[in-house]
Amino acid sequence: MRHQIKFVLLLTTFSLGAAFALPAIRDGMPACDKALRRHVTINQLVQLSMSSASFSSDNSDAMMLSDSAGAKRAVVATAIATTTGATLLLNHQVISQAAISLLLAYEGSLLKHPLRTKVMTGAALATFGDYLAQVKEMRSSNKEYSVPRALSFAAFDSCYRMFQHLILPMIVLLGKGHFTHNLLSSIPLVTTNLAFAAALERTLMYQFGVIPFFYYPIFFTFTGLMQGLTLKETYSRAKKNFLPCWKKNLLFWIPTQMVMFGLIQENWQVPFVCVMGIIWSMILSVVAGRATK
């Protein structure tokens, strides 16, 4: 880090020095070069009248002054751009190191306090996703930001992450992929491996088992009651919105969970779905977030 700071300071000093040294270099041109310029100017003056010669001389001096000022501005601009680029490079490295430190700290918290970390992560990201959805709605209509709606998403996601923390290892344990692999291998012209079959099997178990029978009952119950609906109104809302939500759920989460079960380590699976849940919380909040009587 010290070497990088020294490099930036040296680069800045060099660039500014070049900017201020250029006019001095131009003023210190050899006398023969100036005499040659005067000689060329005199030969041109012989061919012109006295009045036009005076105008040409003044115009030539103005052009030389303009070229000198333009060159100085160009060097100063180059110095500023170079210094700015080096500073941004240094800042980028500092930001990268800070991000890596935060990631390592989060990983440590995930290992020491897995349930607490997953619950807090899910609640924060679900609230943020609902906030983005509400902001979009406020721009297109006269609706105001609903705090109960945001709290209902936070409460729902917190409880669901507790359940997910327990159910995911069971699904990984049960979904070894042997049944799906044998089934796919029996189809002509279809080849697959056990890892893909296991990811597919776990995804199907989750989407057709956990989601319709656990996820949506918890979601509609928490978001309905916390936004002031009765049990009857909560049931009517769930009955109306279940199929549209589940269709979107399958389209979004089947490829996402294929990646999760196939590529993501088990400790990072819940944080992974929490991050992807920002997008999903926006979709769910728009489709069925606001509970109305």
Side-chain angles (χ1 to χ4, degrees), residues 42-293:
I42 292 173
N43 288 338
Q44 293 175 348
L45 290 174
V46 170
Q47 300 174 3
L48 300 172
S49 62
M50 294 299 296
S51 58
S52 66
S54 177
F55 174 79
S56 299
S57 177
D58 293 339
N59 189 41
S60 177
D61 291 339
M63 290 177 62
M64 291 179 65
L65 291 175
S66 177
D67 291 343
S68 177
K72 182 177 180 179
R73 286 195 297 269
V75 173
V76 172
T78 303
I80 294 173
T82 305
T83 305
T84 303
T87 304
L88 290 176
L89 178 62
L90 179 61
N91 290 338
H92 174 72
Q93 294 177 348
V94 172
I95 293 172
S96 299
Q97 292 177 357
I100 293 173
S101 299
L102 289 175
L103 186 62
L104 292 176
Y106 181 83
E107 186 176 16
S109 177
L110 197 61
L111 294 174
K112 292 180 181 180
H113 310 287
L115 181 58
R116 185 191 311 172
T117 304
K118 293 172 184 178
V119 168
M120 293 179 65
T121 302
L125 296 182
T127 306
F128 180 63
D130 173 69
Y131 168 77
L132 296 177
Q134 291 203 51
V135 168
K136 182 180 179 181
E137 291 180 3
M138 288 188 292
R139 289 177 179 176
S140 59
S141 63
N142 295 325
K143 297 178 181 178
E144 297 181 353
Y145 182 77
S146 175
V147 176
R149 173 175 164 179
L151 293 176
S152 68
F153 266 79
F156 153 70
D157 207 279
S158 299
C159 294
Y160 180 69
R161 296 308 168 193
M162 296 180 190
F163 170 78
Q164 193 178 49
H165 176 74
L166 300 174
I167 198 66
L168 276 179
M170 296 176 60
I171 291 179
V172 171
L173 182 63
L174 295 174
K176 296 297 184 179
H178 297 289
F179 174 78
T180 305
H181 181 265
N182 294 333
L183 180 64
L184 294 176
S185 299
S186 64
I187 302 175
L189 303 179
V190 174
T191 58
T192 184
N193 54 47
L194 189 60
F196 174 82
L200 179 61
E201 190 170 292
R202 294 165 185 172
T203 300
L204 296 179
M205 289 172 61
Y206 203 97
Q207 291 301 317
F208 291 93
V210 175
I211 295 300
F213 296 105
F214 293 95
Y215 178 86
Y216 280 115
I218 297 174
F219 168 75
F220 286 116
T221 300
F222 268 88
T223 57
L225 295 178
M226 291 191 66
Q227 294 186 59
L229 298 186
T230 64
L231 288 175
K232 184 177 180 180
E233 291 168 340
T234 299
Y235 174 76
S236 299
R237 172 172 170 257
K239 185 177 179 181
K240 177 184 177 181
N241 293 302
F242 171 74
L243 284 179
C245 289
W246 194 28
K247 290 177 182 178
K248 290 180 172 58
N249 195 104
L250 295 175
L251 292 174
F252 180 84
W253 281 111
I254 284 181
T256 302
Q257 288 192 331
M258 284 290 294
V259 173
M260 181 190 76
F261 285 121
L263 301 176
I264 307 300
Q265 294 180 359
E266 187 174 341
N267 289 338
W268 284 92
Q269 287 180 355
V270 172
F272 172 76
V273 297
C274 287
V275 174
M276 297 302 296
I278 296 177
I279 304 173
W280 174 246
S281 294
M282 292 178 60
I283 298 172
L284 191 60
S285 182
V286 170
V287 175
R290 189 176 296 271
T292 55
K293 295 185 179 182

